[in-house]
């Protein structure tokens, strides 16, 4: 860890092109099978509705990010986002910048964000690199934060600090 320096995304990608009309908060969600089990760690439609309403009613826009899965019943989260004038889908913004990769668009918009709301776990890591207010939700028990050895390779080398520690030592 002494050899690694946190990239300064905010300085390297600061721009006036990738902005929304208002200050905005990025909400990162996921809905996928994890460790061979059905999805448990995700923001539900009801929770998203409450966050979208709260943030937009308080003068923010929302940039909503979720990998493209189709498991939400009745109304999906992307359909919900379309019901709000000030909620933008990251995928739509990526599609409007064909000259850039997904990650380039994401970095540019994340640089200009006012903050982040994420589902805890790996999806929390990237937003934390922008060093802005980040709220991470962890449902159930928080066993990951107590994990000492996050990985071990074939030669027995272990990661001695988990990523939660690296985000906020």
């Amino acid at each position: 860890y002494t050899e690694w320096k946190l990239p300064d995304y905010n300085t390297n990608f600061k721009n006036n092109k990738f902005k929304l009309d208002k200050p905005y908060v990025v909400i990162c969600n996921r809905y996928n099978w994890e460790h061979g089990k059905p999805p448990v760690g995700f923001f539900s439609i009801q929770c998203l509705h409450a966050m979208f309403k709260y943030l937009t009613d308080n003068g923010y826009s929302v940039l909503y990010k979720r990998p493209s899965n189709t498991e939400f019943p009745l109304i999906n989260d992307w359909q919900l986002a379309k019901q709000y004038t000030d909620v933008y889908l990251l995928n739509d913004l990526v599609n409007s910048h064909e000259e850039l990769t997904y990650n380039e668009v994401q970095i540019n918009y994340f640089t200009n964000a006012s903050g982040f709301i994420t589902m805890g776990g790996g999806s929390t890591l990237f937003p934390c690199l922008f060093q802005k207010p980040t709220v991470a939700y962890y449902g159930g028990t928080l066993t990951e934060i107590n994990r000492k050895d996050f990985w071990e390779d074939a030669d027995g080398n272990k990661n001695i600090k988990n990523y939660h520690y690296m985000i906020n030592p």
Side-chain angles (χ1 to χ4, degrees):
Y1 295 110
T2 61
E3 301 298 318
W4 185 77
K5 183 178 177 188
L6 179 70
D8 189 354
Y9 289 115
N10 293 316
T11 298
N12 293 327
F13 291 95
K14 188 167 183 63
N15 66 81
N16 288 317
K17 180 179 178 181
F18 294 89
K19 290 186 174 182
L20 302 177
D21 293 337
K22 299 177 182 179
Y24 58 95
V25 173
V26 177
I27 296 179
C28 300
N29 197 10
R30 65 172 187 253
Y31 191 85
N32 55 284
W33 282 63
E34 299 177 51
H35 310 287
K37 296 180 181 173
V40 293
F42 60 91
F43 294 126
S44 69
I45 297 297
Q46 295 84 358
C47 182
L48 289 169
H49 173 65
M51 288 191 289
F52 291 168
K53 182 166 178 30
Y54 178 83
L55 290 167
T56 58
D57 284 353
N58 284 281
Y60 287 92
S61 288
V62 174
L63 178 54
Y64 182 64
K65 176 190 173 191
R66 179 183 59 79
S68 49
N69 298 321
T70 57
E71 294 86 357
F72 280 106
L74 303 175
I75 181 172
N76 71 38
D77 52 337
W78 289 342
Q79 292 166 332
L80 176 66
K82 296 281 187 183
Q83 293 182 9
Y84 288 85
T85 306
D86 289 324
V87 176
Y88 301 82
L89 297 174
L90 180 61
N91 288 356
D92 289 347
L93 297 173
V94 169
N95 290 338
S96 70
H97 294 283
E98 294 179 359
E99 75 282 7
L100 300 174
T101 67
Y102 180 95
N103 284 332
E104 289 170 326
V105 173
Q106 176 177 233
I107 287 171
N108 278 289
Y109 275 104
F110 281 24
T111 296
N112 293 318
S114 297
F116 300 89
I117 299 172
T118 71
M119 183 51 59
S123 62
T124 303
L125 294 176
F126 189 57
C128 285
L129 293 176
F130 294 88
Q131 300 179 351
K132 296 185 179 175
T134 302
V135 175
Y137 174 75
Y138 294 90
T141 60
L142 185 55
T143 58
E144 292 173 340
I145 202 153
N146 296 319
R147 193 176 348 183
K148 298 265 190 267
D149 301 317
F150 188 70
W151 56 260
E152 182 174 352
D153 68 14
D155 297 322
N157 297 310
K158 294 180 180 179
N159 175 357
I160 59 171
K161 294 182 179 169
N162 67 42
Y163 55 79
H164 297 278
Y165 177 83
M166 294 310 295
I167 290 169
N168 186 11

